[in-house]
Amino acid sequence: MIEKVLIANRGEIALRIHRACKEMGIATVAVHSEADRYAMAVRLADESVCIGPPPSAQSYLKKSQIIAAAEITGADAIHPGYGFLSENAQFAEMVGAHGLVFIGPKPEHIRIMGDKIAAKQAMIDAGVPVVPGSDGGVETVSAAKKAAKKIGYPVLIKAAAGGGGRGMKVARTDKELENAVRTAKTEAKAAFGDDAVYIEKYLERPRHIEIQVISDAHGNVCHLWERDCSIQRRHQKVFEEAPSPALNQAQRDDIGMIVARAVEKMGYLGAGTMEFLYEDGQFYFIEMNTRLQVEHPVTEMITGIDIVREQIRIADGAKLSFSQDEVMLVGHAIECRINAENPRSFVPSPGMITDFHPPGGPDVRLDSAAYAGYRIPPHYDSLIGKLIVHGRTRNECVMRLRRALQEMVVGGVETTLDLHRDLLEQKDIIDGDYDIHWLERFLADD
Amino acid sequence: MIEKVLIANRGEIALRIHRACKEMGIATVAVHSEADRYAMAVRLADESVCIGPPPSAQSYLKKSQIIAAAEITGADAIHPGYGFLSENAQFAEMVGAHGLVFIGPKPEHIRIMGDKIAAKQAMIDAGVPVVPGSDGGVETVSAAKKAAKKIGYPVLIKAAAGGGGRGMKVARTDKELENAVRTAKTEAKAAFGDDAVYIEKYLERPRHIEIQVISDAHGNVCHLWERDCSIQRRHQKVFEEAPSPALNQAQRDDIGMIVARAVEKMGYLGAGTMEFLYEDGQFYFIEMNTRLQVEHPVTEMITGIDIVREQIRIADGAKLSFSQDEVMLVGHAIECRINAENPRSFVPSPGMITDFHPPGGPDVRLDSAAYAGYRIPPHYDSLIGKLIVHGRTRNECVMRLRRALQEMVVGGVETTLDLHRDLLEQKDIIDGDYDIHWLERFLADD
Amino acid sequence: MSTSKNKLDTELVRELAEILSDANLGELEVEHEGLRVRVSKPAAPAVPSVAAMPAPAQNAAPPPAAAVSPDENRTGETPAPDETNAVQSPMVGTVYLSPEPGAKVFVHEGDKVKKGDTLMLVEAMKTFNPVESPRDGTVTRILVSDAQPVEYGEPLVIVS
Amino acid sequence: MSTSKNKLDTELVRELAEILSDANLGELEVEHEGLRVRVSKPAAPAVPSVAAMPAPAQNAAPPPAAAVSPDENRTGETPAPDETNAVQSPMVGTVYLSPEPGAKVFVHEGDKVKKGDTLMLVEAMKTFNPVESPRDGTVTRILVSDAQPVEYGEPLVIVS
């Protein structure tokens, strides 16, 4: 029985996990770096432990310190949130080896999905559609050319160990391919210490559509529909919605069941997300995130399911609190990520939040650890809040989001609120007519 | 087509109406007294008009000034909110006479329901169960005694023109009755300029259960289930929930359909609430509120219906956007009224709100016009916010409400947040086992 | 990561710090050819309440027509006159400077008036309400124009 | 995270910190060719930021066990000692004042110690890590008790 959870993260997601715990009657331990002493989750948690100086490598990524903190506070489980150690198989193993519960998938699934080539092979085996590509890594330029000929140009060269868009190159001709492969290998070596690269079909105008799944230790698996996260800048999601304006209910049911069946076959445990590119009615698997996603609240708002609560219940050995038939899809939800950044140059704007006034009223949710008087430390990412709005229809949702954005005030630092206010005036956004390159085009045109 | 709405109210409900309008693409005019120049609704509205000095009688109750404000701003409809002119039939008529749309029921229904004796008769005619009582007013003490004998003691003496509990007396014997009738008549004369009183059976430990109804101009009527508002202090609601922990689905369906049929028969237009006392499986009509209620959000959270939006649509001649079959009942919702008052003495605490930090996260809604730096004027009621929380079950809702109350900070003034934190620790509240006298007993014991 | 940076920046920073101190500034930021330097004094203990008052309407970016009432916009255009001797509108309505369209105005700027003289009319709900001078004096400024909507308490005319 | 950067940055940072101190600044930020350095003084305990900083846990009434970490409670009981010469815990763990249960403690208050002497042990994940004196001096105050959990940076002992 989980009675005390250590939250191995910071910012809004630490607060999100704290909230789920308190709503389950579970005590919380917040660990934090010296820079996060006044963080909201630290202030609200039942206990807190400083685990190191500000740099993540010496605090939030310091496995031994986090486990020591769990030991001295008597926590019996660790929730890793997203980022940091959430997809670190070794950490998950260590947690288990110390007799603690890791609130997340089994280490072997984290490991497989962390290796893009292995992940793709596992998906092919499980019947999930993947992007046509080289079967495994390409060692030489000539092997790359051969693979590209089979797939058809344009192609994408990716680092096997990469993530977040790093180390990716497009090639439209044999000549471009030669350079791209060489550069990608060099960069991959420098960034990840591993120069393995592979090749995939490059889709011109795909959408990013991902399927949320969740499974318990008793063989129950449900998918919780999709999220459309195509609005991205430099492969960072900015604006997410569910359901996707591009899918109809039959497509939604189909891909959901394909993913659920694959996850069942793997024996995957807990919450996870399969990310796809979608173009011309076809889905292409890109990766699986073996953790909670930043954008999980949009799914929560259309289904009424508290995903973090379910994660904790599953880690505790309980059964899913719903069956696939009971998973609702009511209305529409959109999330805006609010970063402390200049809304056009995206230069981070750390510093003191002097005013903080969240929007209220019906069907508006704010997940934020910010408060008036909070100083955003310069050491971490710039996400200061997520505004998530629900409506009975997509149009109602868009209108409500607009008015909520107009109410919200964050003073003292620059934020991307103005970018979202702009986005909500764009015809393509209002119509739901966009692909993964839309935002970059919009920002370039502006 | 309604394109600009004048909001003839203040505080959180003015903001609530503003929000609904903006989400429908409708422009807003905020009218305000001199004391409310910096009110949130005034700051957010498209236009604002100062209509008088701080006392309500010279501003928010000043019909001519409100209509003049609509004229100079070109508003085409007026939403009266609750309180103030919301149940003033003459105002509703004036609004119509000036070619403006009154967002509320027809004047005749406001008038009937404003007269308790007429209202009760109308309900008897429409097949709604009422409290046994004198058939009409009692003129003399001996007539009162005769009526009391028929009904059986204890009985309640009420002013025909009263409301909010004013001018009500309990009598348990003939002797008590004599005094009670004389005092009630004198008080009624002084308070309402009308000394008519009537007598009803006094229920010992009833619950206050009310049914939300809504009807359009095309003959469509729906009930939106009940709210349990038994937690009251001096007849003021403090804590409301839906659905009621005391009813089962069959009872809920029954009383809902009785009310819907009665409303249909009356030809009532718009949103309204029928209030009942409930004891031992029986409902007793007490009054009908011909307006939006403070506690409407709990119904919104379990049905997903935006009641203010529907009010505006109905006033504009549209059909209800749902049928009775489509009215959902998902989970459970509780509202806490947060007043700027000492949480035990209930002495109002106007002044500057220095810190204001609302709770966030899933399924938490705050309807409040307060902000850090806002000065609560001493001229009006002390409601500064409503915290409404939803859960898939009542238990989930209670746990979430607790954690939300722990997150919320209002600095600089005293608030009833601490009362709610206390309430959520009481076994009777957790079990949903209470009647309309529970809170007074709890406060007396404490 | 050029090493030249070390030498170059600190000199500049020292100089900026001196300027900050000499000029008694709170904060100073310089950006020039990819270099940005910001120096600031420790937060002074004086300010809180003003800074603590968020202005949702002004900050919130694209609200249609801004959440400012028409009259506030209007007075915002010219420097605010001294309103100590202003006669304020007793009601919401439309102000008229003359008894009927085309007729002469009740008063001009510079006119002498007696207590009780009609200065203008405010029309609300089809009735015309005279605005009377509260004292003997001179009309030094008329603050509204004919047929303009006014709110309660809005300054109409200065009689000093 | 190239290691070369680390060395060169710390030099710059040290210099900036000196400037900050010399010029009596509150904050200082430098950005140049992709490198950004910000140094700031801790907020002085007097200023408005304290008032402006809501303390949800303290205000929020009946939160179980109050949202204050155990060690904060502890130091709160006695007047805070001067921690300028405090030796801080290098890690999260459990502190032991003697090499093994029942053995003599490493140091008593009043003891003279040399730089490098073991003052106590911090155990984390079954390994015992000595805490060594950073200087020659006298143990003026022991701030923790045996077998007490400590967090990173927690003051353990004062050597002055």
Side-chain angles (χ1 to χ4, degrees), chain B residues 112-124 130 285-288:
Chain B
I112 290 170
M113 293 303 160
D115 178 332
K116 305 232 161 183
I117 296 173
K120 192 169 170 182
Q121 193 54 54
M123 288 305 108
I124 293 169
V130 300
F285 170 84
I286 40 178
E287 66 179 30
M288 180 167 181

Side-chain angles (χ1 to χ4, degrees), chain B residues 34 40 43-46 48-53 64-65 68-69 71-72 94 98 371-373, chain C residues 52-57 64 66-70 91-94 124-126 149-152:
Chain B
E34 288 179 315
M40 189 56 109
R43 303 175 81 155
L44 289 174
D46 296 304
S48 71
V49 179
C50 180
I51 53 167
S64 62
Q65 292 296 281
E71 286 183 337
I72 65 167
M94 272 176 77
H98 282 80
Y371 56 87
Chain C
M53 196 145 70
V68 176
S69 71
M91 66 191 67
V92 178
T94 305
M125 302 179 70
K126 320 289 178 230
V150 290
E151 49 180 5
Y152 172 84

Side-chain angles (χ1 to χ4, degrees), chain A residues 43 45 48-50 52 64-65 98 372, chain D residues 52 54-55 57 67 69 92 125 151-152:
Chain A
R43 304 176 80 158
S48 70
V49 179
C50 180
S64 62
Q65 292 296 280
H98 282 80
Chain D
S69 71
V92 179
M125 302 179 72
E151 49 180 5
Y152 172 85

Side-chain angles (χ1 to χ4, degrees), chain D residues 68-92:
Chain D
V68 176
S69 71
D71 55 286
E72 282 169 33
N73 270 338
R74 212 177 307 121
T75 52
E77 286 160 16
T78 49
D82 174 18
E83 291 178 357
T84 34
N85 287 316
V87 180
Q88 297 175 325
S89 176
M91 67 191 68
V92 179

Side-chain angles (χ1 to χ4, degrees), chain C residues 110-147:
Chain C
D111 283 1
K112 298 239 178 277
V113 291
K114 288 226 168 63
K115 181 173 171 177
D117 282 0
T118 296
L119 302 173
M120 34 190 82
L121 300 175
V122 176
E123 183 257 311
M125 302 179 70
K126 320 289 178 230
T127 65
F128 290 83
N129 307 277
V131 177
E132 298 177 350
S133 179
R135 67 186 79 87
D136 296 355
T138 306
V139 173
T140 54
R141 185 95 182 255
I142 294 174
L143 302 164
V144 290
S145 48
D146 197 50

